[in-house]
Amino acid sequence: MSSREEILNSIRGIQKENKFLPDIPNFQLEGDLVELFKSAIEANKGEILSKKEFENWIASTNFQHVISCSEPFHTYATQELPDDAHQLDHLELAILDAQFGVAENGAMWLDDSQLPHRALPFITEHLVLILSKETLVSNMHQAYDRIGSDHSGFGLFIAGPSKTADIEQSLVIGAHGAKSLRVILV
Amino acid sequence: MKKEPHIGLFIPCYVDQFYPQVAIATLELLEKLGCKVSYPLGQTCCGQPLANAGYERDTEGSSLHFIQLFEEFDYIVAPSGSCVLHVKEHFPNHPGKEKSAKSIQKKIFELTEFLTDVLKVENLKGTFQKKVGYHSSCHGLRGLRLASSSELNIPHFNKAKQLLTNLDGLEWVELSRSDECCGFGGTFAITEEALSVQMGKDRLADHLSHEVDVLTGGDLSCLMHLEGIAKREGQKVEFMHIAEILNQAIR
Amino acid sequence: MSHPKAATEFLKDQANSQWHDETLWMIRDKRDASSKSIPEWEELRNLASEIKDNVLSNLDKYLEQFEAQALKNGIKVHWAKDAKEHNEIVLSILQEKNCEAIVKSKSILTEECHLNPYLEKQGIEVVDTDLGERIVQFLQQPPSHIVMPAIHLKKRDISALFHDKLQTEKGNEDPSYLTNAARLHLREKFLASKVAITGVNFGVAETGEFVVCTNEGNADMGVHLADVHIACMGIEKIIPRRKDLGVFLRLLARSATGQPITNYSSHFRSPATGKEIHLVLVDNGRTRQLAREKFKNSLKCIRCGACMNTCPIYRRSGGFSYGSTVPGPIGSILSPGLDMKKYSTLPFASTLCGSCSDVCPVKINIHEQLYEWRQEITKHHGTVGKGLSMKLASGIFKSPLAYQFSGSLMRKVIKSLPESVIYNPLNIWGKSRDLPKAPKESFQDWYKRNRHE
């Protein structure tokens, strides 16, 4: 007998009372979604920028390696997407669209359609996500309602920059992934 | 309450032996509040220490004895959350006595919950001019739900506080860690001596840092542990069971 | 080493044990604040608990559904009945790919299976990429906490370690500096690795996808740069529907650290073009635990670590005192199911205060199961109970106090305190605590004199 059969059979052999699968109520979040989202991002050590603030910021940097997958921000790109994600090692900035945002925790959803390389938001030193205010949902229940049965090979919520507190619980931003997260709310 | 219910006073073994004044205070307090109380003689240990140590199966004799002593009463009241919890949850099954056991488990109350929930005491008139720190025993808190535990997101309540803050002059202290365990834990106090003592020291320090005059609680096992540490350290804080405070205050 | 001994050792360094207690308490405080900002928190806990109950009662069906969906998505699915088979499966994939160095993100399951030493014996370099895990790996230690693997170490320890291993400046203890050194070191490993291993937080039966949560982004850095992703998953990690993730992701990070969500929550459904995903479904004692009526719901655990942070014992004895892969309260109800003899003292490393059960996001009755394990362990006393504290065995139970507690004998025995034979426990009690003064008469005597006719 294969291990698969062995495991499944031993589970089948256990007398189990059938427990119902509950419905999930439609919990709502009180308050202004944009404000809630902003404070969530800030608490996660991200930053919210206007388009203007973004322009000022990028002018103050001297990035040589910028990739944009967001149509209106293509002018900031310095290079095309390489074939191999390993070549992204020196990437300084990635500008990506997010599909929608979640007000309760600042999470933003991206899937393969925003991510020509899945490594992109992680390997880049700095990450800018473009998010439309109109897309904000209140909480994670609504987030999954919104994703619905969309089929993507990969999808993720990004809620902040890469961070760790593994050394004496001191928060350090930029463990392995992006050292900063900026969100441009449009 | 129905007409003249008869209350059986359950005095845990170590209270009987070491803290008779607390048992007397409990009895007098209930009598002052108009209750008819009897203390059935021949009470023994309810079996809790043994059960918590993993020998619940050896507590058949003591629990059967308990059932026989108390089954005739309308209510059973004890000045101990943890012994009440044991009777409610950890009595072994007694074939033929299931009904009595169940009825006992329904009518047994820890003293403060009996006052707030059964007697519905609302306006205790009394005076106690001291700053009081209250130690929530874990079995009372999370077992009997005598207060809202700090982990849960539920409306705040505390039955002991509800009673004590009625008293004129009493200053209730909010602790830094409102309901952390004192480290007594029955046999834990012996088998994990180092941890038990450290937990007790930490709990005591919280009360002392708030400069309490009296450290009180609903379970003498916790208080015995904390007082033992306080005395060894030469601390001046006074220890009283909540029954003693209430009984003294409402003279 | 038994828990009491290890705890006593840990407490000897007062400053360190106090720091450990206060730091974990601070995390519990954050968890409290975070959970109290969600009005429906208790309802979410109920939902999570009910969903997991439903999973456990239909585990076979959900596993089959999960497998079928995963296969449809192009994921290769493997089944391992125990740690040995799990390790062999991982090795065979590595051999097939001619892979000699891998990166691995946090997976308690692979710790449980002792995958690292197994692979290392086969000449494969394993690099744990979670910062805390990399630190303890350098020290050849297991994690002392499932969420914060290096919580037992201070920055001076890590500074010295990194100076030795990563050539950082001697004496530089700045966490940012040290983290950056690890970032550069691990970046090389990420770029070089052909295979990456991750754990799994949730597997969704409905879609065949699985979710991995990190704050560092290390799981994603590993798998997106590698050709092959091996995900190791305990069979209890299944949830029925995608929308159930909404419940669990709201609870997980808030319970773990107080943050509203981990910064990265990645959903893997099918491999990127030209790449592979292997999923290893592992039993390793889980079906045995499922068959134990009193203990099966320990399998609802989502590994948030909240019970460790809240546990007054864990905070003051450290993760290593438990000697088990999963320490703390949840570990003390899981481990005896794996080896009752080895872990016989763990269910006694508790005051049964119940804080673990109240903090648990899936409402596992942890302290009640600790009580139940005690009842089991004492049944085998003498055979498996050898590791059980001898103080417990001889001090309490061989004394008349315990043996003759029933009926009227109890009174006679306790009356002769403290002169009676229960000398040993009293001695232990008295090391740092005074005994109550023996009053002139018992209440019973007083009552007879004053009230009894």
Side-chain angles (χ1 to χ4, degrees), chain A residues 142-157:
Chain A
Q142 295 182 356
Y144 281 103
D145 280 349
R146 163 132 193 180
I147 297 170
S149 55
D150 283 5
H151 192 123
S152 173
F154 178 68
L156 89 154
F157 287 106

Side-chain angles (χ1 to χ4, degrees), chain B residues 30-98:
Chain B
L30 288 168
E31 287 173 344
K32 278 182 199 173
L33 294 169
C35 300
K36 180 184 163 197
V37 189
S38 296
Y39 172 77
L41 294 172
Q43 292 186 34
T44 65
C45 175
C46 63
Q48 187 197 186
L50 214 53
N52 283 355
Y55 292 88
E56 185 188 288
R57 60 192 170 279
D58 292 339
T59 65
E60 278 179 7
S62 63
S63 51
L64 192 60
H65 180 66
F66 187 97
I67 292 169
Q68 285 160 349
L69 268 185
F70 284 101
E71 62 188 336
E72 294 313 319
F73 289 95
D74 300 304
Y75 293 100
I76 305 157
V77 177
S80 161
S82 85
C83 296
V84 169
L85 183 71
H86 172 76
V87 172
K88 270 185 178 304
E89 293 192 351
H90 291 148
F91 262 19
N93 189 34
H94 297 287
K97 278 280 177 192
E98 290 89 348

Side-chain angles (χ1 to χ4, degrees), chain C residues 87-106:
Chain C
N87 293 348
E88 287 164 0
I89 290 167
V90 172
L91 178 66
S92 71
I93 300 168
L94 299 181
Q95 284 170 339
E96 191 193 306
K97 305 292 168 194
N98 290 316
C99 177
E100 284 172 354
I102 59 160
V103 287
K104 178 161 82 67
S105 70
K106 201 187 284 162

Side-chain angles (χ1 to χ4, degrees), chain A residues 44-63:
Chain A
N44 298 346
K45 307 293 172 197
E47 222 182 299
I48 302 274
L49 299 183
S50 64
K51 181 106 193 282
K52 185 81 198 140
E53 287 166 323
F54 167 75
E55 283 162 4
N56 292 340
W57 170 68
I58 202 156
S60 74
T61 66
N62 189 22
F63 290 150

